[in-house]
Amino acid sequence: MGNAHICATTGHQPLMQAALDAAELGHRGANPLVGAIITDDDGTVIATGHHRGAGTFHAERDAITAAYAAGYTDLSSTTLYTTLEPCRHAGRQPACTELIEAAAITTIICATTDPTANGGGAQLLRQRGAEVTVGVLEAEAERLNHRWTLAQQQGRPFVTVHMAQSLDARIAAADGTSQWITSAASRSHTHRIRQRVDAILVGTNTAAVDDPRLNARDDDGEPSPHQPLRCVMGLRPTPAEAQLTAGRPEGQGWMQLRTREPLQALRTLAATGHSGHPVRHVLVEGGQSVLSAFFAAGLVDEIFVYTAPLLLGAGRASLADIGVTTLAQGLRCELDTADGGPVTLLDNDVCIHLAPAGPKGDH
Amino acid sequence: MGNAHICATTGHQPLMQAALDAAELGHRGANPLVGAIITDDDGTVIATGHHRGAGTFHAERDAITAAYAAGYTDLSSTTLYTTLEPCRHAGRQPACTELIEAAAITTIICATTDPTANGGGAQLLRQRGAEVTVGVLEAEAERLNHRWTLAQQQGRPFVTVHMAQSLDARIAAADGTSQWITSAASRSHTHRIRQRVDAILVGTNTAAVDDPRLNARDDDGEPSPHQPLRCVMGLRPTPAEAQLTAGRPEGQGWMQLRTREPLQALRTLAATGHSGHPVRHVLVEGGQSVLSAFFAAGLVDEIFVYTAPLLLGAGRASLADIGVTTLAQGLRCELDTADGGPVTLLDNDVCIHLAPAGPKGDH
């Protein structure tokens, strides 16, 4: 963006910031975080919307719906601020360009263009007579989804990682006991993530030692309506009696990814459908070897570290070698202010929400 | 306490809770956390006070001073709630019993008796005509200071521990580099603790490898007026050129504790004066061996864990063996809601404030 353009759009910045703040209410995953606000001709905010994850309303539709719900019947003199260029192709949701045109909104301010092949909505809206500005708080909006954009560029699912550990980062005591280090509230939190991902991935060792069911359950322990694909990564065969198979043959709700390379596993998943959709969001739950491999490969997009108020002093560490030998090479992360914020108390556990830090100069 | 007494004092509980809440504003250390409030004859709170650490006003005096500052000149019809029985012996501060008598306060409600030899103020106040009730929210008040009381019973200083680590609980990378894992804000937080302790303790390995100055500095790096005693624990001699000696012979601002037993080190410190006082509060800063020995011995009273948003995967862990072999033996802690609360963001670091959990049944 040239300086002249930045000056001309300065007045829009507080409103776009409000849309960015709304975007952060969503969950990271298959889709980017997007927020939208609608202002009347005085610049007063009359509706706010955000995207809540794949399969739910896009932010623009959420805001338009909120405006109608608030009693506004004519949006023709309003302005729509959205953190991402509206989509023009119908998918699981109708195209936002159609909804905007139907609402007769003709002034649209966007922070960024859509980096995916589904974009291009600005051009279409302009062709139909709308005034569309792109680039207000563009850097902030790009930073908000920098890992999601990278995952798109790499043609792989978005990766959320779960680390559940003691204060001294142990995932098991010296004798291997590990259930439960974290609190019931932390485990509920994880089950809410399981409910919205396409796949869960663990290593062969975790599958063998912990024998998890890997399904998504509600707080009463009942299976949730949506169940993610259960995946075991590694070369050691998954025992037929493993709970995650639910007694079914491979391919029916679970699969083995016969590789030690995270990128290969992710590309296999990207090519694998589940419940009628491609796998676009994976939750990697452990253990040490698998987590370390994902971090070493730079393939982690979002991190939840659940720390229990417990010290063990010995036992398996949450991570092993990730290719770092000196402090300056350490994998720097940034606190993630989206989706519940950077720190959440879960009973007596502290959950820290992070992402690998963006390119230098972003901050 | 009998049930009859508990019922009679139920009306005092919300006011004592307010005094307990005030107590939590203080710092843990040489003295217990104590809060006090003063109510008028309607039960309206007119003043609140708390103790800010050794050498500062006791909570009762803090509250009485606040009442005068608020314009009250006659406190004779007020009630004083205090979480700890007033002291009757003048030390660095005048005896609270004298101040209460001078203020003509004749109704005093206490949560607990004073477990130290300095106590006994309730009896004295009664002898002088005051009505003194002891036992309102007694269990809560005891729990607030359970580690401090234990330290008193064991005749040793109160021990605060500092752990500064990566998300995966490393205190150095594989090649030993460790400066700095945590943020400048975390280090400032530690220096504020250094400013109020009597002694800082590190192991011989930390003294040799990190060569810390171990003094208390302000945010500009200038030494603070109060400097704690700098202590090295272990058998390996401290090099004469170590920075913590400040070029002086042992006994002049620093000392070596020639033992690997934390209790012996603490008892030596308790018998050692510094700046004209006994050593009653020690900050144990590391490294791995010393921290592990203190935890293994059950001699940690307060914990600050500074976690930097950084992953290392390898390198020295914050703790080694603490005598725990199975999960059920793990050292359970509780989040400490006092002194800034359980979680503080320090730049991008997350500081968790904890204490070893109290006896079972307390919670």
Side-chain angles (χ1 to χ4, degrees):
Chain A
M1 307 300 303
N3 280 333
H5 189 92
I6 287 174
C7 292
T9 62
T10 301
H12 294 310
Q13 290 185 2
L15 295 161
M16 188 60 79
Q17 187 59 54
L20 284 166
D21 292 347
E24 291 209 319
L25 299 174
H27 307 300
R28 296 191 185 279
N31 289 350
L33 296 180
V34 189
I37 66 167
I38 298 173
T39 61
D40 67 14
D41 49 14
D42 291 339
T44 305
V45 176
I46 65 169
T48 303
H50 71 277
H51 180 53
R52 290 169 179 78
T56 69
F57 281 13
H58 287 184
E60 298 91 326
R61 188 179 185 187
D62 195 47
I64 291 169
T65 304
Y68 289 139
Y72 294 90
T73 53
D74 178 5
L75 302 180
S76 63
S77 62
T78 66
T79 298
L80 173 68
Y81 290 81
T82 178
T83 60
L84 180 68
E85 179 184 10
C87 71
R88 62 183 286 173
H89 291 282
R92 279 196 259 182
Q93 294 292 318
C96 287
T97 48
E98 300 302 317
L99 297 169
I100 291 165
E101 201 176 353
I105 301 175
T106 56
T107 309
I108 299 105
I109 318 284
C110 313
T112 58
T113 53
D114 187 338
T116 72
N118 297 323
Q123 189 187 5
L124 182 66
L125 287 165
R126 284 195 191 104
Q127 283 166 1
R128 298 191 181 172
E131 184 190 333
V132 183
T133 302
V134 178
V136 177
L137 297 187
E138 186 172 23
E140 289 78 357
E142 284 175 352
R143 191 154 62 231
L144 180 66
N145 289 304
H146 76 93
R147 289 299 309 194
W148 179 85
T149 304
L150 182 65
Q152 293 290 311
Q153 290 165 349
Q154 295 179 337
R156 59 165 180 85
F158 186 88
V159 175
T160 297
V161 151
H162 157 285
M163 295 167 71
Q165 59 185 36
S166 65
L167 280 166
D168 53 333
R170 305 288 174 178
I171 58 173
D175 68 350
T177 47
S178 65
Q179 291 182 347
W180 298 106
I181 286 178
T182 51
S183 70
S186 287
R187 301 197 302 275
S188 289
H189 189 273
T190 298
H191 276 278
R192 288 194 292 278
I193 301 173
R194 286 183 175 184
Q195 285 166 28
R196 59 179 193 255
V197 300
D198 301 312
I200 303 176
L201 188 154
V202 298
T204 51
N205 190 57
T206 299
V209 173
D210 292 351
D211 193 17
R213 281 175 282 178
L214 287 192
N215 60 354
R217 301 187 291 277
D218 65 20
D219 287 350
D220 296 325
E222 295 299 315
S224 309
H226 166 73
Q227 288 297 331
L229 179 63
R230 303 181 294 280
C231 305
V232 184
M233 174 176 147
L235 304 179
R236 197 188 339 166
T238 301
E241 67 277 15
Q243 287 199 92
L244 66 87
T245 69
R248 293 183 170 177
E250 187 175 351
Q252 295 190 19
W254 73 278
M255 70 182 292
Q256 181 142 6
L257 298 156
R258 291 174 179 76
T259 175
R260 292 200 180 103
E261 293 299 323
L263 187 57
Q264 194 178 331
L266 291 178
R267 293 217 159 122
T268 301
L269 281 174
T272 301
H274 178 64
S275 301
H277 316 294
V279 170
R280 300 199 297 152
H281 187 194
V282 180
L283 175 64
V284 178
E285 294 210 10
Q288 184 199 69
S289 303
V290 163
L291 288 186
S292 302
F294 272 82
F295 280 116
L299 290 170
V300 174
D301 302 310
E302 180 183 39
I303 311 164
F304 288 98
V305 182
Y306 302 84
T307 300
L310 170 73
L311 294 167
L312 293 171
R316 199 163 175 85
S318 57
L319 287 187
D321 181 22
I322 58 169
V324 172
T325 55
T326 191
L327 185 55
Q329 297 172 337
L331 179 62
R332 285 271 161 203
C333 300
E334 55 197 19
L335 297 176
D336 192 341
T337 52
D339 191 5
V343 178
T344 308
L345 290 183
L346 295 166
D347 286 350
N348 287 310
D349 294 354
V350 177
C351 179
I352 309 181
H353 184 203
L354 309 107
K360 288 201 178 179
D362 263 15
H363 298 276
Chain B
M1 310 299 305
N3 281 334
H5 188 92
I6 288 174
C7 292
T9 62
T10 301
H12 295 308
Q13 290 184 0
L15 295 162
M16 189 60 80
Q17 186 59 54
L20 284 165
D21 293 345
E24 289 209 319
L25 300 174
H27 307 299
R28 296 191 183 279
N31 288 352
L33 296 180
V34 188
I37 66 167
I38 298 173
T39 62
D40 67 13
D41 49 13
D42 291 339
T44 304
V45 176
I46 64 167
T48 303
H50 70 277
H51 180 53
R52 291 169 178 77
T56 70
F57 280 13
H58 288 182
E60 299 91 323
R61 187 178 185 187
D62 194 47
I64 291 169
T65 303
Y68 288 140
Y72 294 90
T73 53
D74 177 6
L75 301 180
S76 63
S77 62
T78 66
T79 297
L80 172 69
Y81 290 81
T82 178
T83 60
L84 180 68
E85 178 186 10
C87 71
R88 62 184 287 175
H89 291 281
R92 278 197 258 181
Q93 294 291 320
C96 288
T97 48
E98 300 303 317
L99 297 170
I100 292 165
E101 201 176 352
I105 301 175
T106 56
T107 309
I108 299 103
I109 318 285
C110 312
T112 58
T113 53
D114 186 338
T116 70
N118 298 324
Q123 189 187 5
L124 183 67
L125 287 164
R126 284 195 191 103
Q127 284 168 0
R128 297 190 180 173
E131 184 190 333
V132 183
T133 302
V134 178
V136 176
L137 297 187
E138 186 172 24
E140 288 79 356
E142 285 176 351
R143 191 155 60 231
L144 179 66
N145 290 304
H146 75 94
R147 289 296 312 192
W148 180 83
T149 304
L150 182 64
Q152 293 290 310
Q153 289 165 349
Q154 294 178 337
R156 59 165 179 86
F158 186 88
V159 175
T160 296
V161 151
H162 157 286
M163 296 166 70
Q165 59 185 36
S166 65
L167 280 166
D168 54 333
R170 306 285 174 180
I171 57 172
D175 68 349
T177 47
S178 65
Q179 291 181 348
W180 297 105
I181 287 177
T182 51
S183 69
S186 287
R187 301 197 301 277
S188 287
H189 189 272
T190 299
H191 276 278
R192 287 194 291 278
I193 301 172
R194 285 184 175 185
Q195 285 167 27
R196 59 180 193 255
V197 299
D198 302 312
I200 303 176
L201 188 154
V202 297
T204 51
N205 189 59
T206 298
V209 174
D210 293 351
D211 192 17
R213 281 175 282 177
L214 288 192
N215 60 353
R217 300 187 291 276
D218 65 21
D219 287 350
D220 296 325
E222 295 300 314
S224 309
H226 165 73
Q227 289 297 330
L229 179 64
R230 302 181 296 278
C231 305
V232 184
M233 174 175 145
L235 304 180
R236 196 189 338 166
T238 301
E241 67 276 18
Q243 288 200 91
L244 67 85
T245 68
R248 293 182 171 180
E250 188 176 353
Q252 295 190 21
W254 74 278
M255 70 182 291
Q256 181 142 5
L257 298 155
R258 291 173 178 76
T259 175
R260 293 201 179 103
E261 293 299 323
L263 188 57
Q264 194 180 331
L266 291 178
R267 292 215 160 122
T268 301
L269 282 175
T272 302
H274 177 64
S275 299
H277 315 294
V279 171
R280 300 198 298 151
H281 187 194
V282 179
L283 175 64
V284 179
E285 294 210 8
Q288 184 197 69
S289 303
V290 163
L291 288 186
S292 301
F294 272 83
F295 280 115
L299 290 171
V300 174
D301 301 311
E302 181 183 39
I303 311 164
F304 288 99
V305 182
Y306 303 83
T307 299
L310 170 74
L311 294 167
L312 293 171
R316 198 164 176 84
S318 57
L319 288 187
D321 181 22
I322 58 168
V324 172
T325 56
T326 191
L327 185 56
Q329 297 173 337
L331 179 62
R332 286 270 163 204
C333 300
E334 55 197 21
L335 298 176
D336 192 340
T337 52
D339 191 6
V343 178
T344 308
L345 290 183
L346 295 166
D347 286 349
N348 286 311
D349 294 354
V350 177
C351 179
I352 309 181
H353 184 203
L354 309 105
K360 289 200 175 178
D362 262 14
H363 298 276

